[in-house]
Amino acid sequence: MNKFFVSTPIYYVNDKPHLGHAYTTLCADVLARWHSQNGNQVFFLTGTDEHGVKVQESAIKAGLEPLEFANQNARRFQKAWINLGIGYSYFIRTTNPQHEAVVSNFLQKVYDKGYIYQGQYEGLYCVGCEKFLQEDDLVNGKCPLHPNQEPIQQKETNYFFKLSDFGDKLLNALTKGEYQVIPDGRKNEVVGKIKKGLQDVSISRAGVSWGVPVPWDRTQTIYVWVDALINYYSATQFVEAGKGFWPANLHLMAKDILWFHAVIWPALLMAAELDLPRTVAAHGFFTIDGQKMSKSLGNVIDPNDLVKQFGAEATRYLIMVEVPFISDGDVSLSRFQQRYQSDLANGLGNCLSRVTNMMEKYFDDKYNKDLAYQFELVTENAIADSIKNLRFSESLDYIMSEIKKIDKEIDAHKPWQMVKEAKLLDVKLLLIDWVRRLTRIGQLLQPFMPQTSEKILAVLTAEKIVKTEALFPRLDI
Ligand code: MSP
């Protein structure tokens, strides 16, 4: 049995879950389910990032203590994931004292090895990103991701991590495949930046009280990003289900935070003499109807609203099929609706109704329930490979094309006419073939739409197959 540990970023607890968070979390969920289905032992970790200036300020605005505020908002993420049928193994919160203890020990170890020193930090800080900005990060003097926020001028005594010691080591590890960054385009960006030379990074804050204290100097707190990255490791230390799972197989995220995961995190792990994650994978950013998704534009899509409109299973399908992993993409509600109609209502759901309806009508004797079926090897492999390589929409396209093939065959054979021509036996043979193929489709859809898959398999393996209710009622658009 192989182990598979997949993680999502831990999301800032001051925000509400939106489609961006939902996408990464769904990718992880599909992979987790696919690996369990294929006999692997899976640990799927997600959670919330709860320390730092941003959360502290949001709590003050909400008139709450930071922890109370975090408690409320962490619950929103948990609820959203339940609504979407996300089956994480553990939901980590960085305010968990057990996590804090691991963070503290981790950093102490790096300090003891001589990779941390005290220095003077002077420069700009973006609260939105919780990140120190370099000159070349700035666009018109502002952080490009937060153009409405003024970067803050910081001048304080901090502790620094000797990231500059790790450039060659990281390049070496990447070349030797000790860890990999995907996709290639983004790996090349990372490698290019490492080659330009790495600068040491500040890993503590003097003026921020909402954080884990620096173990050897309690007047400072640990920089929120360091605290957050360590969650991946800490969950394998204090969470029962996570024990034995370090190193992670796959850290998933969007490109905005790749640098932290592909450079700073592996360097910290090297400094602490721990194994590196096997793969760090970054997907693109998507826009809504061609525009950046943002509160000020009022176009933020709440996954809970999609679930209300389409149901959880269809929402999972729509997000996975419409958002490409590798590139930036654009989503729109009207495309979601069209897809729902074509792929689910008129596609999968209708095909299942047609076949089960004919089974009910023409197949009154018991049928041999040996439904084991595999598509041609090329198809089976293409579906598995595209999931493994994070090309989720591609694997769904393959599955949907198998449904279309069945529909076409039904249209071509017209079983209802064959019955009139007294070719009942031929009809039964065709029906059994379609039932077996739909059973396989049900299995292949399991990671994407677990409940739909269960329903399909229950209907098709019943003693007597009867016409199903529409799995996906048509939308009135
Ligand atoms: N707290 C940090 C992560 C720490 S991980 C050790 C953080 N949180 S976040 O709430 O801002 O989440 C960022 C992540 O949300 C992205 O990496 C991505 O997974 C997801 N997305 C947010 N907006 C997105 C889009 N518009 N498009 C795609 N994904 C997006 O950063």
Side-chain angles (χ1 to χ4, degrees), residues 229-247:
L229 287 165
I230 296 172
N231 94 84
Y232 303 128
Y233 173 70
S234 78
T236 65
Q237 302 304 297
F238 75 85
V239 179
E240 217 35 62
K243 289 197 173 143
F245 275 93
W246 192 258

Side-chain angles (χ1 to χ4, degrees), residues 186-227:
R186 299 206 199 284
K187 174 191 168 180
N188 297 338
E189 280 169 32
V190 166
V191 168
K193 253 176 105 177
I194 300 176
K195 282 185 176 159
K196 274 201 209 154
L198 295 176
Q199 287 176 17
D200 295 346
V201 286
S202 162
I203 48 114
S204 74
R205 302 296 306 278
V208 182
S209 58
W210 183 235
V212 181
V214 169
W216 61 88
D217 175 355
R218 304 204 139 248
T219 64
Q220 303 236 345
T221 56
I222 296 172
Y223 172 40
V224 60
W225 259 103
V226 171
D227 168 9

